[in-house]
Amino acid sequence: MADKTEDKGQTGEGFPGFDPTSVEAYMVRDPQALAMNFARALENLGKAASEWLGPRERGEIADSVADPMVDLVKTLSKVTEYWISDPKRTLEAQTLLFSSYMGIWARSLSRFSGQPVEPEQETTPKDKRFSDEDWVKNPFFAFLKQVYFVTASWAERLVNDAEGLDEHTRHKAAFYVKQITAALSPVNFAITNPEVYRETVATHGANLVAGMKMLAEDIVAGGGELRLRHTDATKFAIGRNLALTPGKVIAQSEVCEVIQYEPSTETVLKRPLMIVPPWINKFYILDLNPQKSFIKWCVDQGHTVFVISWVNPDERHAKKDWESYMREGIDFALTTIEKTTGENQVNAIGYCVGGTLLAATLAYHAKEKNRRIASATFLTTQVDFTHAGDLKVFVDEEQIAAIEKQMNAAGYLEGSKMAMAFNMLRASELIWPYVVNNYLRGQEPPPFDLLYWNSDSTRMAAANHAYYLRNCYLNNNLSKGEMQLGGKTISLKDIKIPVYNLATREDHIAPPKSVFLGSSLFGGPVDFVLTGSGHIAGVVNPPDKQKYQYWTGGKAKGQFEDWMEKAEEAKGSWWPHWHAWIEAKGDERVPARKPGGSALNAIADAPGTYVLTRV
């Protein structure tokens, strides 16, 4: 019996669930083929490096990687300074980490030798990155996973327990630590990822050859920057299988096109609907395809729908500021709507930053006694930026000054910069899984319309973006009643019209707590509604899918958590609830209207021309 136990310890059979024969999947069968493919992979990696270096050597790209790295080092050095300034604290931090390592090591030895071990503590939380069974069954990979989670937790604790940090520095430090730990996960390396390791052995390294080829292609596509592919872009085209709702561009300014959609009902609501989307992304998130299209759904309910399609700015738009987007965007659209329909009042929807601009415009209109907007709907819109989430990490005087310097040189901020910032908010979902699948496994991502839209980035006009960062994220002037717009100091309290304010529960861009707080700043009645899911899926949620849920309750006052406890939950989409809210404000109907009416001629078919510009 003793001999059998010893044999189990030597072979690893005592490790629960571990099959010693499974090591065959990690054994190299053809070293020569593997070596040849490694050489080919390195050759492709060299091509990728050349494509990255070439534009920099030619002066076509002024690399700004140093700026965020300097901020990262500066921020984390403040945390480090706290822990190393006192030898006692230094020893405490080191002891905490190494004692955890020793505990993992002792535990692993016990399991490997077949000794009974208590169930694992919650040192390895559930994480879909570690879904492969060998992260649990294989002793080597199980050990790596536990060490990784313990180290990541230790690093986060150092930030949380460091004293003397101001709130912004602590927020930045926690964010940077999260980015570093996400990047250093063993999942992201071929030799420490069991799935990639097995594929490399099984294909004799052909996966790495294909992956490095894709890496070179993605750097070429980005003009010297990595354009990480999230989907098969060849499967999509705007106007072919995206943004298909019939309509016409009936007016165009330097910053936007105004689209009016063809009616699908014999009668329509008398009051038209104007949608103000964000310019950080393109409007067709609301018109992905006929099954998911909020725009088409609104048309089918009897709304005369007008959408602002923002220009993808270049150096010509450098001086287009917040006021320009108000006057040549929202006000221009309102004038267009009145010309084509004869109506001098609309229901307005603002999505994300489009909603922030709409709120500022409404406050400005109130100063001028302009009543062209009768009701306002805000979708995941922040008007108060106190709780604006991780995007605030990128906003302080020093970082904004660096961004302004870049924008002033070009006249705009590259769309890829904003796209990367948004992706970093969910790096473990939107960056590293694609790095692994694309470049280590050599797998082309499947077609997915939402991710195609996500990759279809837009530039930011220099003056407009600088104004937004300073007045909203940095100084929070809109919520304070200190924003200067069109020569006036505007206040949200002057907005007396009915407001439907929608937040999404898992939003990482406009957190629900932030949207909730903003609800109390308006001067009129506000219906605050919370929906399930996140910034996109929570908004684009067709009723026939019967997905998620939404919550309604009393006035948005006090604490968000208290409101949530009393709120009533309803299954499914918020769309019908919103439509009923709109009809309660005015349900009179008139004969359906054709785009342009008798006053305006069509310039182009929907979705227009501005939306087609890619960067």
Side-chain angles (χ1 to χ4, degrees), residues 327-395:
R327 297 196 186 283
E328 300 173 46
I330 292 179
D331 285 349
F332 175 72
L334 289 170
T335 300
T336 301
I337 293 170
E338 186 168 359
K339 285 180 181 178
T340 186
T341 66
E343 297 294 330
N344 58 13
Q345 281 200 321
V346 306
N347 297 311
I349 293 178
Y351 190 179
C352 189
V353 66
T356 310
L357 176 67
L358 176 62
T361 301
L362 284 168
Y364 180 81
H365 281 183
K367 292 289 186 184
E368 294 193 319
K369 309 300 181 185
N370 182 335
R371 297 181 175 85
R372 290 197 288 181
I373 298 176
S375 76
T377 297
F378 297 109
L379 309 179
T380 63
T381 293
Q382 296 179 102
V383 293
D384 183 289
F385 290 76
T386 304
H387 305 295
D390 283 342
L391 278 176
K392 291 188 74 173
V393 166
F394 303 106
V395 182

Side-chain angles (χ1 to χ4, degrees), residues 201-444:
V201 171
T203 66
H204 311 301
N207 56 313
L208 299 178
V209 177
M212 293 303 100
K213 181 174 180 290
M214 289 173 63
L215 176 62
E217 292 171 351
D218 288 354
I219 293 176
V220 170
E225 303 278 6
L226 177 62
R227 178 173 288 177
L228 182 63
R229 67 179 86 178
H230 289 93
T231 185
D232 183 356
T234 64
K235 297 295 190 293
F236 299 102
I238 299 172
R240 186 187 73 197
N241 54 3
L242 298 170
L244 299 180
T245 303
K248 303 290 184 183
V249 176
I250 59 171
Q252 185 183 82
S253 72
E254 290 186 18
V255 302
C256 79
E257 291 178 330
V258 179
I259 302 171
Q260 181 181 359
Y261 288 90
E262 297 275 3
S264 63
T265 55
E266 291 185 1
T267 62
V268 294
L269 290 170
K270 185 175 187 294
R271 189 178 293 156
L273 178 67
M274 177 184 70
I275 300 178
V276 186
W279 54 83
I280 289 175
N281 294 102
K282 295 180 179 178
F283 82 89
Y284 67 90
I285 185 59
L286 297 175
D287 190 28
L288 274 179
N289 61 48
Q291 290 71 46
K292 300 177 183 177
S293 174
F294 177 71
I295 289 173
K296 182 180 184 300
W297 187 86
C298 288
V299 170
D300 291 343
Q301 307 314 303
H303 291 274
T304 304
V305 180
F306 295 82
V307 172
I308 292 174
S309 174
W310 299 106
V311 71
N312 202 334
D314 54 32
E315 61 277 0
R316 296 170 298 175
H317 303 89
K319 295 184 179 180
K320 295 294 184 182
D321 58 11
W322 195 258
E323 184 178 345
S324 301
Y325 273 62
M326 176 182 74
R327 297 196 186 283
E328 300 173 46
I330 292 179
D331 285 349
F332 175 72
L334 289 170
T335 300
T336 301
I337 293 170
E338 186 168 359
K339 285 180 181 178
T340 186
T341 66
E343 297 294 330
N344 58 13
Q345 281 200 321
V346 306
N347 297 311
I349 293 178
Y351 190 179
C352 189
V353 66
T356 310
L357 176 67
L358 176 62
T361 301
L362 284 168
Y364 180 81
H365 281 183
K367 292 289 186 184
E368 294 193 319
K369 309 300 181 185
N370 182 335
R371 297 181 175 85
R372 290 197 288 181
I373 298 176
S375 76
T377 297
F378 297 109
L379 309 179
T380 63
T381 293
Q382 296 179 102
V383 293
D384 183 289
F385 290 76
T386 304
H387 305 295
D390 283 342
L391 278 176
K392 291 188 74 173
V393 166
F394 303 106
V395 182
D396 52 42
E397 183 57 48
E398 191 173 354
Q399 291 187 86
I400 290 180
I403 292 172
E404 287 176 335
K405 184 179 179 181
Q406 295 176 35
M407 292 194 298
N408 290 336
Y412 54 84
L413 180 69
E414 284 287 357
S416 59
K417 304 294 184 185
M418 285 300 300
M420 180 55 71
F422 283 123
N423 287 342
M424 286 176 67
L425 300 182
R426 297 166 59 197
S428 293
E429 298 174 37
L430 292 176
I431 296 179
W432 297 111
Y434 292 94
V435 169
V436 172
N437 285 331
N438 295 1
Y439 308 137
L440 298 184
R441 301 182 67 187
Q443 295 183 353
E444 181 79 32

Side-chain angles (χ1 to χ4, degrees), residues 76 108 149 155 161 295 455:
L76 294 184
S108 297
F149 278 115
D161 293 351
I295 289 173
S455 67

Side-chain angles (χ1 to χ4, degrees), residues 123-185:
T123 53
T124 56
K126 290 183 179 180
D127 189 322
K128 60 184 179 183
R129 292 177 296 172
F130 296 87
S131 58
D132 189 278
E133 62 180 13
D134 273 3
W135 286 114
V136 175
K137 293 184 177 180
N138 185 292
F140 171 71
F141 294 112
F143 178 77
L144 276 182
K145 183 182 77 166
Q146 292 178 67
V147 167
Y148 168 70
F149 278 115
V150 163
T151 306
S153 177
W154 173 79
E156 291 173 4
R157 182 171 175 179
L158 291 186
V159 174
N160 293 334
D161 293 351
E163 298 177 4
L165 300 180
D166 62 86
E167 183 180 351
H168 183 60
T169 299
R170 190 183 303 279
H171 189 182
K172 287 202 296 183
F175 180 80
Y176 287 142
V177 164
K178 188 176 179 180
Q179 298 302 312
I180 292 170
T181 56
L184 295 180
S185 166

Side-chain angles (χ1 to χ4, degrees), residues 551-555 557 559-569:
W551 291 265
T552 57
K555 291 184 178 180
K557 61 181 181 179
Q559 299 298 314
F560 170 69
E561 293 77 11
D562 295 335
W563 181 92
M564 191 68 208
E565 284 184 6
K566 300 176 182 177
E568 295 182 5
E569 180 179 342

Side-chain angles (χ1 to χ4, degrees), residues 79-125:
V79 177
T80 305
E81 182 181 352
Y82 170 79
W83 289 102
I84 66 175
S85 62
D86 183 337
K88 184 179 178 180
R89 282 200 294 262
T90 305
L91 180 61
E92 177 188 340
Q94 292 174 341
T95 302
L96 176 64
L97 180 62
F98 286 117
S99 63
S100 299
Y101 285 167
M102 291 305 297
I104 294 171
W105 179 247
R107 185 185 188 84
S108 297
L109 287 178
S110 297
R111 292 181 68 188
F112 196 73
S113 64
Q115 298 178 19
V117 179
E118 293 181 5
E120 284 188 26
Q121 302 298 314
E122 290 300 317
T123 53
T124 56

